[in-house]
Amino acid sequence: VPWPALCAATPGAAAAAKARSEFRAVRLRRTGAAAASAAAEHPPPEPEGPAPKKADDGAYATKADACNACRFSATASCAMYKTCICHATNAHFEIVGLPEPTDTNHWHWACGGEGGEKYDVCFKVNELYQDPFGDKLDPNNPKCPDDE
């Protein structure tokens, strides 16, 4: 007897299959409705500033470019907007015994300073009046409302 026929012949198999099907349908309706209502409440913010271009080596040529890339990425998502404190570091390190390369700017960004003392905060801000990216806060029109 083939496996599907055996399962269908098992007492209660049809009821179990129907229950699984109904459970999946309810779960899809709930998650779909929640996603639709969340999207209708508040769209993600537009990224701020232009996206800087990376240099040929895949890094940013200046600290300002790395910081602006962080700002561009972090301001396009409410999750990143609320949690990201932009830091930048130059990944060029001197190696004893090797000649100094001509390109010594290999700037990268991160959303925190956990990388160590070589990471510098990108934007010095007044937290009372500015967001983490140096923009003025508008309490009457927040970029990412807290009720999300």
Side-chain angles (χ1 to χ4, degrees):
V1 176
W3 177 253
L6 181 64
C7 290
T10 306
K18 183 178 178 187
R20 279 194 303 274
S21 177
E22 288 174 359
F23 175 76
R24 286 187 194 121
V26 168
R27 187 175 58 190
L28 286 173
R29 279 195 303 266
R30 285 184 182 166
T31 56
S37 69
E41 286 178 14
H42 194 288
E46 289 294 320
E48 295 176 9
K53 300 264 189 247
K54 289 186 176 183
D56 292 338
D57 61 5
Y60 294 99
T62 65
K63 180 181 177 182
D65 283 349
C67 289
N68 285 328
C70 177
R71 180 177 188 237
F72 181 83
S73 295
T75 56
S77 157
C78 281
M80 284 184 70
Y81 179 82
K82 291 180 178 185
T83 60
C84 186
I85 306 295
C86 291
H87 287 69
T89 189
N90 187 359
H92 166 73
F93 304 103
E94 294 181 20
I95 301 174
V96 177
L98 292 178
E100 186 71 16
T102 55
D103 180 12
T104 58
N105 286 299
H106 307 282
W107 290 91
H108 297 273
W109 64 268
C111 275
E114 292 82 11
E117 61 189 33
K118 291 194 177 262
Y119 280 81
D120 298 324
V121 174
C122 286
F123 307 103
K124 308 286 188 222
V125 299
N126 179 335
E127 294 177 7
L128 186 60
Y129 301 109
Q130 295 174 312
D131 68 10
F133 312 101
D135 296 323
K136 186 178 177 182
L137 288 175
D138 181 358
N140 297 321
N141 187 21
K143 291 180 186 172
C144 293
D146 286 334
D147 61 323
E148 290 188 60

